[in-house]
Amino acid sequence: MPQIRRLHQYKRKTQRQSWTSEQMMLALAAIKNHSASYRECEELYNIPRSTLQRRILGKNKLAVDDQKVMGSCISVLPKVIEDSIYDYCIKMEEMLFGLTQEDVLKCLPMTLLRRTMLNTHSRMERLD
């Protein structure tokens, strides 16, 4: 059976974004206050200059200010619902019931599905 991937348990595969939110916040504040240049902040806080420039200009597709986004997957469900679906799938697998993607989608309330699909489409349009 293919392994179920939980977005909230994303594990880093590269050394990208090895800076902390605190480092980013300090670097952005220094640049905005004109107390340091992009190059100085790059060396001092170990944050790529292009990342700093994108953050200052507000051109990031997902992350804003000092916020970090892990991976390219976007969770459109609240963590509580995602966890309950995951637990349900694991429980059904332990009882030897194979679930298809359609079976899992039937578990979700229709209003949540509609909201999720609308959010996904609007996010994808914003990314283009």
Side-chain angles (χ1 to χ4, degrees), residues 18-39:
S18 57
W19 43 267
T20 64
S21 293
E22 189 175 303
Q23 288 173 314
M24 177 60 78
M25 188 171 51
L26 292 171
L28 293 176
I31 293 170
K32 287 178 183 176
N33 294 334
H34 302 290
S35 60
S37 66
Y38 286 105
R39 180 171 288 172

Side-chain angles (χ1 to χ4, degrees), residues 2-106:
Q3 194 158 15
I4 298 172
R5 185 174 76 171
R6 295 174 77 176
L7 293 178
H8 295 288
Q9 290 183 341
Y10 181 81
K11 290 191 172 45
R12 181 177 298 281
K13 296 177 185 140
T14 67
Q15 293 302 314
R16 291 182 171 192
Q17 287 194 4
S18 57
W19 43 267
T20 64
S21 293
E22 189 175 303
Q23 288 173 314
M24 177 60 78
M25 188 171 51
L26 292 171
L28 293 176
I31 293 170
K32 287 178 183 176
N33 294 334
H34 302 290
S35 60
S37 66
Y38 286 105
R39 180 171 288 172
E40 291 169 343
C41 288
E42 176 184 27
E43 293 172 4
L44 184 62
Y45 299 107
N46 294 322
I47 302 173
R49 193 177 332 157
S50 59
T51 301
L52 292 170
Q53 290 170 341
R54 259 194 332 273
R55 296 291 175 107
I56 290 289
L57 297 174
K59 291 189 175 186
N60 253 355
K61 294 180 180 177
L62 302 174
V64 180
D65 293 328
D66 62 335
Q67 174 190 3
K68 289 179 104 172
V69 176
M70 302 294 285
S72 60
C73 298
I74 303 170
S75 179
V76 292
L77 296 175
K79 185 175 181 347
V80 175
I81 294 175
E82 186 178 323
D83 289 343
S84 66
I85 293 170
Y86 177 80
D87 292 339
Y88 174 75
C89 291
I90 296 300
K91 188 176 186 180
M92 295 305 285
E93 180 62 30
E94 288 171 354
M95 295 171 31
L96 302 177
F97 287 100
L99 291 177
T100 64
Q101 185 176 0
E102 293 169 359
D103 294 334
V104 175
L105 290 175
K106 286 178 188 175

